[in-house]
Amino acid sequence: MTDLTLLAISELAPRLRNREISPVELTEAYLARIERFDPQLNAYTTVTADRARDDARRAEAEIAAGEYRGPLHGVPIALKDLYATAGIRTTGGSKGLGDWVPETDSTPARLLREAGTVLLGKLNTHEFAAGYTTNNPWFGATRNPWDLERVPGGSSGGSGAAIAARLAAGTLGTDTGGSIRVPAAFCGCVGFKATYGRASKAGVIPLSYLFDHTGPIARTVADAATLLTAISGYDPADASTVRIPVEEYGPALEGDIRGLRVGLPSALIDDGLDGEVRAAFAKAVEDVRALG
C-alpha cells in the first residue's frame, strides 16, 4: 500500500510499533493531503506543519529507542478549534479569539500529546460551537468531502470533514446537542458522545458547561475506542469528571454479544425517516438479532 492515509489507527499502530512505517513518513503523507485538498474543504483553521514534523521526529526516535507509548504513538491527529493548545492559536471559531495563543494545553490535548500523537492542526467549527452546518462567518464554510455543495454538519464539521477526506487519522470534537454525532452522520464516519464526566473538558472553550462533552470523531469504531481511552479519566481541573478507573475500550468490541439487550427508538424510526436509511437500519437490527 502506497497511500498511508488509507490505514485506520488500528492498522497503523502495530506497523508504527514494529517500525514498518515511519511517523515522519506518515505525517508527511497527511500534510501533503491537507495541502492538496483542504483549500476546497476548509476543514482546518490552522495547520501546524512545523509542530507536526517535530512531533513525528520525536515519536520516531522514541519508538526506535524502545520507548513505545501505546497505540496512538506517532499517529497524526487534529483537534476542533475549541481545544486550547499551548503555543498554538485557538480561536473557538470566533473573530474575537482570532489571535489567542494559550499558554497551556486543555486536558484532552495534553493527554493526546502524552500518548505520543502528532498534532496536524486545529479544525473549523461554528463560532463557539453554536450551530449545525459549520458555515463559519469568520473562517469560512467547511464543505462536505462527499459533495462540496453540501454541509458537513456541525458544530464539529471540520473534524468530520477531516476524517472523511483523510486529512487526519483521528480527531476530537465536542458535543452539546449533537455536535459530534451530526457531522459523523453527515460525513459517514464514527462519532462518539461519551457518558457525561467520562472525559475532561478542562481548557475546552464552552458552549454550555453543564451539557458539553468531549469525544472522538474517527474512521472506525475501534479507532474511536482508542481515542476515547486516551482522553478518559478523572481530572481535578474538571469538577464534572468522575473517579472511575479508565477501561481499555477496544477489547469490548470483540467476542460474543449473545444475550445483549438492545433498545430501539421506535418513535424516531417511524417518524419521517428516509426510506433508504430506514432499510439500512432495519438490516442492522436483523444482523444484531442474528448474532443473539
Side-chain angles (χ1 to χ4, degrees):
M1 180 177 291
T2 57
D3 188 348
L4 297 177
T5 69
L6 289 167
L7 296 172
I9 294 172
S10 59
E11 298 169 299
L12 287 169
R15 300 182 191 195
L16 287 164
R17 182 175 190 173
N18 295 332
R19 300 173 64 189
E20 298 169 19
I21 295 174
S22 156
V24 173
E25 178 186 19
L26 179 61
T27 298
E28 291 298 341
Y30 273 105
L31 289 173
R33 194 165 174 85
I34 292 168
E35 183 177 7
R36 179 180 177 187
F37 291 110
D38 197 53
Q40 303 168 64
L41 299 174
N42 196 37
Y44 280 84
T45 53
T46 303
V47 178
T48 55
D50 290 342
R51 159 73 183 270
R53 291 183 173 109
D54 287 345
D55 287 349
R57 286 190 290 266
R58 183 180 305 109
E60 183 169 84
E62 289 172 347
I63 293 170
E67 300 170 2
Y68 183 67
R69 302 190 190 190
L72 291 173
H73 203 172
V75 173
I77 58 100
L79 305 174
K80 184 177 182 178
D81 206 3
L82 299 181
Y83 288 81
T85 40
I88 297 169
R89 184 179 73 154
T90 301
T91 71
S94 174
K95 184 179 180 181
L97 293 179
D99 296 320
W100 182 46
V101 179
E103 295 182 359
T104 58
D105 281 332
S106 59
T107 296
R110 174 180 58 79
L111 291 172
L112 288 178
R113 187 201 288 253
E114 291 172 356
T117 57
V118 172
L119 183 62
L120 295 168
K122 310 297 286 295
L123 297 162
N124 203 8
T125 173
H126 267 280
E127 187 169 19
F128 298 125
Y132 287 107
T133 64
T134 315
N135 289 337
N136 188 294
W138 312 116
F139 298 97
T142 297
R143 305 295 180 184
N144 191 313
W146 299 105
D147 182 344
L148 298 182
E149 298 303 312
R150 296 179 185 269
V151 300
S155 64
S156 307
S159 302
I163 290 297
R166 307 200 318 271
L167 306 186
T171 69
L172 293 188
T174 63
D175 195 309
T176 307
S179 288
I180 285 174
R181 294 161 290 167
V182 170
F186 284 19
C187 293
C189 43
V190 177
F192 191 78
K193 173 179 176 276
T195 302
Y196 189 75
R198 177 70 297 196
S200 175
K201 53 185 181 287
V204 182
I205 297 170
L207 172 58
S208 167
Y209 183 81
L210 290 177
F211 295 104
D212 290 348
H213 296 66
T214 55
I217 298 181
R219 194 171 307 170
T220 68
V221 175
D223 287 0
T226 297
L227 289 162
L228 180 63
T229 298
I231 65 171
S232 290
Y234 172 72
D235 179 9
D238 180 353
S240 72
T241 54
V242 291
R243 295 178 182 269
I244 296 175
V246 177
E247 303 175 32
E248 290 285 341
Y249 297 112
L253 305 178
E254 302 173 1
D256 196 344
I257 65 167
R258 188 169 301 279
L260 183 71
R261 302 185 70 182
V262 179
L264 304 179
S266 300
L268 297 179
I269 299 167
D270 296 336
D271 185 17
L273 194 63
D274 179 88
E276 187 177 355
V277 175
R278 184 185 288 107
F281 187 86
K283 174 64 166 58
V285 171
E286 288 307 311
D287 288 344
V288 171
R289 182 175 283 121
L291 290 170

